Amino acid sequence: MIHKTWDKSETIKKVQCVHANAKKFVVDNVLTPGKVYDVKNETDEFYFIIDNTNRIGGFKKDYFTELS
């Protein structure tokens, strides 16, 4: 149930969305290309961020680039 407290957890890093062109899913209504998002959790394939709906969402890493 750790996913219920991710929005209150510390930000791990910041990533910038580079595109919202998904093949299978609709993500262009929750991600904005060029916008910087706070990463709350991360796996090998996904970033868990607070998206445009102010909720935690898991998105593939290929939508983003890491900021230094």
Side-chain angles (χ1 to χ4, degrees), residues 4-67:
K4 292 190 174 190
T5 60
W6 280 346
D7 59 339
K8 296 169 189 72
S9 65
E10 193 172 320
T11 299
I12 298 171
K13 62 176 119 180
K14 293 191 180 275
V15 292
Q16 183 174 20
C17 180
V18 292
H19 72 84
N21 303 324
K23 292 180 183 177
K24 288 186 175 182
F25 304 101
V26 179
V27 297
D28 60 348
N29 58 349
V30 293
L31 293 178
T32 304
K35 185 174 178 181
V36 175
Y37 295 94
D38 294 334
V39 177
K40 298 298 184 175
N41 197 8
E42 177 180 8
T43 64
D44 290 339
E45 287 187 59
F46 295 94
Y47 287 128
F48 293 89
I49 64 164
I50 297 179
D51 60 22
N52 294 350
T53 64
N54 288 324
R55 294 175 156 180
I56 292 287
F59 300 95
K60 286 195 162 217
K61 288 185 173 182
D62 64 344
Y63 298 122
F64 304 96
T65 185
E66 289 188 25
L67 298 176

